[in-house]
Amino acid sequence: QVQLVESGGGLVQPGGSLRLSCAASGFTFSIYTMYWYRQAPGKERELVAYITNSGGSTNYADSVKGRFTISRDNAKNTVYLQMNSLKPEDTAVYYCNLVRQATPYWGQGTQVTVSS
């Protein structure tokens, strides 16, 4: 079965960096576009970034452009989110996602807290 396991979250000061990882299993990772979403308290879940199956194309929410970088390693079945210049408004639970046969799959999420 499809499994997505996020890691790498934590508490960081404004201006700091974190790298999130999402380890995938149970499907052919290399043929799917992968997504990172986040959900802040009291807000709807929002798309942060996505990367196509080969890694040849990426896209970002305006709020993170120039600060976040999505990447993937198809040999390791892992997608990453490098987050730099973090702001308090980046505080959220971050989830990785894919849509397979019209069904969305989510990991359990990893908490990112940006605070001094």
Side-chain angles (χ1 to χ4, degrees):
Q1 68 278 22
V2 172
Q3 283 196 319
L4 301 171
V5 180
E6 300 95 337
S7 61
L11 173 63
V12 62
Q13 292 187 342
S17 298
L18 284 173
R19 188 175 85 150
L20 306 184
S21 300
C22 173
S25 61
F27 64 101
T28 306
F29 180 80
S30 61
I31 67 173
Y32 288 95
T33 294
M34 296 297 297
Y35 302 82
W36 281 100
Y37 283 78
R38 67 185 181 186
Q39 187 166 20
K43 295 190 176 181
E44 292 188 356
R45 196 168 294 190
E46 64 171 347
L47 177 63
V48 175
Y50 69 80
I51 184 167
T52 54
N53 62 318
S54 66
S57 182
T58 58
N59 206 349
Y60 299 90
D62 287 343
S63 58
V64 307
K65 275 181 185 175
R67 301 188 297 121
F68 290 12
T69 303
I70 190 171
S71 62
R72 66 190 295 159
D73 185 338
N74 285 347
K76 295 183 178 180
N77 287 2
T78 301
V79 59
Y80 304 97
L81 187 68
Q82 177 67 44
M83 305 186 296
N84 298 329
S85 302
L86 282 161
K87 304 175 181 180
E89 52 263 44
D90 295 318
T91 295
V93 179
Y94 285 71
Y95 300 90
C96 66
N97 164 274
L98 81 149
V99 179
R100 178 174 178 256
Q101 297 176 347
T103 299
Y105 292 88
W106 301 92
Q108 83 288 351
T110 187
Q111 175 71 47
V112 172
T113 303
V114 185
S115 175
S116 55

